[in-house]
Amino acid sequence: MYSESDIDGAVAAGAISPDAAAALRRHVATVHAAPAVDEEHFRLLTGFNDIFVSIALALLLAALGQIGFSISHGLGGAFIAAASWMLALYFTDRRRMALPSILLLLGFVGGVAGALAGTVEAIWPNIGGTAGALAASGVGLASAVAAWLHWRRFMVPITVAAGAAALVVVAIGLLVAAFPDIKHGVWPILLLCGVAVFALAMRWDMSDPRRETRRADVAFWLHLAAAPMIAHPIFQLLGVFNSEIGAGVAVIVLGLYLLFAAIALAVDRRALLVSSLVYVLYALYSLFRSAGAVELGAAFTAFVIGSALLTLSAFWQPMRAMVVGWLSQPMRLRLPPVHQPT
């Protein structure tokens, strides 16, 4: 499967003409009965060789990490980071393999974080409190810098999301260090950080509303990072999993899911729906149990949610047209088109 950025790259390289690329997009949109943007493409595999290489890379990096860890706690992460960077020079820079590139990016950033965390643990075994929060912020900042360096060299779309997640760790660590009692109220902070990452994702999305360049791929991963930061704190604050929830809380959870669905339709991204799905399943299951359907509660829940998601998928475009129609004209122009441009 070729992504939108691949087609755009082929046009830039002169392999196909811009008119041919536009005709290809129109043909795909006609076959799918939806604009190309509605398919929410992102490149994960360029072929089965991606899986083969990824398995080999995972085995190699795990072995290097274990060897380094046996020598020093910080050395394991350093080995993984160094190997990930060197391997990326071939598999990412030259071969442009999708899944191995993602794995090597995570290996590099995670290796840098692991090396620093292991070093801090070796020097201060029982670090905690303000010092621990500052150390976590330092590790997060170093990880963000590592992600920035990797982006400057390889420009793997997931890199920006990894850097944003690292900066969230920095922000939370600094706040906990400055106000130690705030650690008991970390969920609202994480929610605000999630909204900030979502805003960053929308900035990337709005710079390429037709999703024809790498910017759309970057926005996809940012949305995927922001969604759990938004959904998880909200439902944790509602106490969904703390005890047996009542009908009132269950209705609120279902209402929030409908709100998330409206947002997902408007921005044409499904990450929020996926991240909050487990909470909706639990809430609906509780409603069925409270109504007396104890034995078939799980079956009824799966039937209702599965049917709803399939209906949403099948009628995504007309439902999205309705939601986008409620928005103002300037906002509609900055969102992905509802109909394929002629």
Side-chain angles (χ1 to χ4, degrees), residues 185-305:
V186 73
W187 294 121
I189 300 174
L190 184 60
L191 175 59
L192 291 175
C193 292
V195 172
V197 176
F198 179 82
L200 179 62
M202 288 305 302
R203 182 173 181 179
W204 281 85
D205 250 345
M206 289 180 173
S207 66
D208 180 24
R210 293 180 62 178
R211 297 181 182 170
E212 298 175 350
T213 68
R214 184 185 284 113
R215 288 180 169 271
D217 296 334
V218 172
F220 168 83
W221 292 108
L222 282 169
H223 279 289
L224 208 61
M229 297 183 196
I230 295 173
H232 194 66
I234 289 176
F235 293 116
Q236 284 292 336
L237 290 171
L238 288 173
V240 173
F241 289 134
N242 292 341
S243 59
E244 188 72 21
I245 64 173
V249 175
V251 170
I252 292 175
V253 171
L254 293 175
L256 284 171
Y257 197 67
L258 291 177
L259 176 61
F260 288 163
I263 295 173
L265 286 166
V267 304
D268 203 14
R269 293 292 187 184
R270 297 159 178 82
L272 262 179
L273 293 176
V274 176
S275 294
S276 54
L277 183 59
V278 63
Y279 300 100
V280 177
L281 288 170
Y282 184 75
L284 195 58
Y285 175 69
S286 298
L287 278 179
F288 280 124
R289 283 179 59 88
S290 63
V294 177
E295 294 183 358
L296 294 177
F300 287 151
T301 300
F303 177 80
V304 171
I305 297 299

Side-chain angles (χ1 to χ4, degrees), residues 47-100:
F48 188 78
N49 193 37
D50 277 35
I51 299 176
F52 182 78
V53 172
S54 297
I55 293 173
L57 289 174
L59 292 173
L60 177 61
L61 294 178
L64 288 174
Q66 186 174 0
I67 293 171
F69 189 81
S70 65
I71 302 172
S72 169
H73 287 188
L75 202 56
F79 280 1
I80 292 175
S84 296
W85 183 277
M86 290 186 292
L87 290 167
L89 293 172
Y90 178 73
F91 291 106
T92 301
D93 197 35
R94 294 184 58 184
R95 296 287 302 276
R96 310 303 298 177
M97 301 181 75
L99 186 58

Side-chain angles (χ1 to χ4, degrees), residues 1-3 6 41-43 45-47:
M1 177 184 292
Y2 301 103
S3 67
D6 289 329
H41 292 296
F42 73 101
R43 192 171 67 164
L45 296 174
T46 54

